Amino acid sequence: MSVQPTVAEGRRGTQTATTCRSCGGGDLRTFLSLGDMPLPDALLDPANLPEREPRYPLDVAFCPGCSLVQILEEVDPEELFVDNYLYFSSFSEGLLRHSREHAFRLVDERGLGSDSLVVEVASNDGYLLRNFLERGVPVLGIDPAPTQAEAAEAAGVRTLREFFGADLARRLAADGIRADVIVANNVMAHTPELNSFAEGLSILLAEDGVATIENTYVRDLIDHCEFDTIYHEHFCYFSCTAVDALMRRHGLRLNRVEHFPTLQGGTLRWWVGRSDEVEESARSYLEAERREGLTAFGYYEQFGARVDAIRTELVELLRRRKAEGARIAAYGAAAKGSTLVNSAGIGPELVDFVVDRNVHKHGLLMPGTRIPIRAPEALLEEQPDDVLLLAWNYRDEVLEQQAEYRRRGGRFIVPVPWPEVV
Ligand SMILES: [Zn+2]
């Protein structure tokens, strides 16, 4: 069964969803409008500045039919996914460790061996699949990004350069390929055609196979006011209820749930398969979401007002510091940081520069607000009084890296869940 979302023509390069991306329901209820936003990863070259940057509305809605939270706008993929060499091989130590532990556990728990197959959707440079190879388990990566796929193949990870969906799964199945395990981390939210994605899992998965899917948890987003994780590349924000409804439509169900509270601001790992054996973890998450109201609009309704309050408080704090003569920088020129400064209207008049560890970004400007991007060493060279921590999801790592800056009296401002100086 396939539910194709209905979309209306928006501005050039966008379409606006009028029905739910998962269940097709037509009663989408908007609870947050972030305004006209530039694409968050479209960094600018100061030597070649466009007269105007394209901007697109960004509205978030809840579907009462299946509880899925989603943005309404769909920017054309060729505009949305810009040169991704900028974001290549920037995995943190923590993420690598997390992936390795998961891979080894799957090998042991599922009894994987040389006659098994593990498929990963959005396999990047093969950083996760390499762990299975190390244990002698055959793998297949799927990733349309050429640079990443090349790096994966150089490391011995066979990689198909394609987008994953029902069509690809059907072609693989026709060639006799079935997966004992499918891993899909941080990709489901980037997928506008959710039903094709879930159908693809169902087609490709062996009869007793299991898929593990990781994405940030909508509950953490709402409870901790992580509004800067909402941008055009993330179409959907998932609860367990929404994932279970999506999977059931395609003959799968949610069997197990794990929560990683500090990973990207709060990540869930959903285990899905054809088995009717729903473990206690999945039952209790589904039950808690019903009991605590994540399945009704009321849970989300006040979010817009809470976001407004944070933005106002943050800008007032920065203005106050500026008026006291403070010099302010920021840390983290990623999509999340761009969303925060653009939606709050924080530009070079408040923040002198932003630092980022990715050398490919140095010398460029953030989209929209055009704050210049420099190397992290600039914090010690310039010793600004305050640093707005846009990369709050790496809070502990950044504070540790910047021990010297802090020892010299530098302070960090953490923007969410409520602006705080540390
Ligand atoms: Zn729905």
Side-chain angles (χ1 to χ4, degrees):
M1 176 188 165
S2 110
V3 180
Q4 287 301 322
T6 308
V7 289
E9 284 292 321
R11 270 167 226 210
R12 190 185 67 83
T14 58
Q15 297 177 311
T16 304
T18 54
T19 58
C20 173
R21 288 196 167 83
S22 181
C23 75
D27 185 23
L28 294 178
R29 300 193 190 168
T30 303
F31 61 87
L32 174 67
S33 292
L34 285 170
D36 282 352
M37 301 282 283
L39 294 181
D41 281 328
L43 303 181
L44 302 169
D45 180 352
N48 191 16
L49 282 178
E51 220 161 277
R52 283 182 55 214
E53 292 167 60
R55 285 177 177 265
Y56 307 92
L58 186 53
D59 299 293
V60 193
F62 171 78
C63 172
C66 72
S67 298
L68 181 66
V69 171
Q70 52 205 291
I71 62 169
L72 296 179
E73 292 77 18
E74 194 169 311
V75 179
D76 289 348
E78 61 269 27
E79 300 195 42
L80 191 55
F81 296 103
V82 291
D83 295 343
N84 42 31
Y85 71 90
L86 288 173
Y87 317 105
F88 183 42
S89 66
S90 55
F91 305 115
S92 71
E93 289 295 318
L95 183 66
L96 293 176
R97 201 167 46 243
H98 171 84
S99 306
R100 189 172 174 82
E101 283 167 7
H102 183 47
F104 286 178
R105 180 172 155 210
L106 278 165
V107 172
D108 296 336
E109 189 177 316
R110 309 292 301 177
L112 302 177
S114 57
D115 56 352
S116 310
L117 178 66
V118 176
V119 173
E120 187 184 9
V121 181
S123 46
N124 214 293
D125 67 354
Y127 69 94
L128 182 134
L129 288 178
R130 287 177 214 196
N131 297 301
F132 291 98
L133 287 181
E134 195 183 314
R135 296 282 299 269
V137 180
V139 299
L140 175 64
I142 299 172
D143 200 307
T147 323
Q148 279 85 332
E150 266 166 40
E153 300 227 300
V157 174
R158 188 162 54 114
T159 304
L160 293 176
R161 294 163 201 207
E162 295 201 52
F163 282 101
F164 179 76
D167 288 344
L168 174 59
R170 248 179 240 115
R171 275 184 279 131
L172 292 171
D175 287 341
I177 296 175
R178 303 294 289 276
D180 299 290
V181 170
I182 301 176
V183 180
N185 290 348
N186 303 307
V187 61
M188 193 161 63
H190 293 73
T191 309
E193 299 202 15
L194 270 186
N195 283 291
S196 172
F197 177 87
E199 192 185 348
L201 294 182
S202 185
I203 292 168
L204 191 57
L205 209 54
E207 208 43 47
D208 61 348
V210 63
T212 71
I213 302 164
E214 290 179 26
N215 252 126
T216 53
Y217 188 18
V218 72
R219 175 174 201 156
D220 290 317
L221 189 170
I222 299 291
D223 289 1
H224 307 142
C225 231
E226 298 164 353
F227 68 96
D228 51 351
T229 61
I230 296 169
Y231 43 87
H232 288 102
E233 290 167 24
H234 292 162
F235 298 104
C236 298
Y237 306 83
F238 297 94
S239 61
C240 298
T241 308
V243 169
D244 195 40
L246 170 66
M247 294 302 159
R248 279 175 186 265
R249 205 173 297 125
H250 300 282
L252 301 171
R253 64 192 51 199
L254 186 62
N255 298 127
R256 182 192 294 178
V257 178
E258 294 172 86
H259 189 204
F260 303 92
T262 59
L263 190 65
Q264 299 299 329
T267 292
L268 285 188
R269 177 185 290 149
W270 297 285
W271 298 60
V272 304
R274 272 178 263 277
S275 165
D276 283 337
E277 236 177 82
V278 178
E279 295 182 11
E280 173 55 28
S281 59
R283 264 200 306 274
S284 67
Y285 268 90
L286 291 168
E287 169 53 30
E289 288 182 2
R290 265 193 304 277
R291 194 177 57 238
E292 288 157 36
L294 273 87
T295 52
F297 183 59
Y299 197 82
Y300 309 90
E301 204 170 2
Q302 294 306 312
F303 187 67
R306 289 166 53 208
V307 170
D308 281 345
I310 288 186
R311 289 188 294 195
T312 305
E313 171 72 14
L314 182 62
V315 171
E316 278 174 7
L317 170 64
L318 296 175
R319 285 201 184 126
R320 211 159 51 232
R321 291 291 295 148
K322 199 80 185 170
E324 290 164 6
R327 286 185 316 136
I328 307 170
Y331 194 112
K336 193 152 57 52
S338 169
T339 304
L340 190 134
V341 294
N342 278 296
S343 75
I346 297 168
E349 73 292 346
L350 287 172
V351 170
D352 297 345
F353 60 91
V354 56
V355 300
D356 196 285
R357 290 181 86 185
N358 188 331
V359 293
H360 299 294
K361 297 183 182 179
H362 300 161
L364 301 177
L365 309 176
M366 288 184 92
T369 62
R370 304 193 171 184
I371 300 172
I373 305 170
R374 298 177 61 176
E377 290 73 29
L379 294 186
L380 287 181
E381 288 158 18
E382 309 273 350
Q383 192 66 33
D385 301 286
D386 300 308
V387 175
L388 174 60
L389 185 56
L390 300 173
W392 51 257
N393 49 326
Y394 296 114
R395 174 181 173 146
D396 292 345
E397 282 182 55
V398 173
L399 292 185
E400 201 181 306
Q401 276 164 30
Q402 295 300 328
E404 179 58 19
Y405 163 75
R406 298 176 73 212
R407 197 191 59 76
R408 296 186 194 173
R411 314 192 310 170
F412 277 89
I413 299 169
V414 183
V416 300
W418 188 251
E420 176 197 5
V421 178
V422 296

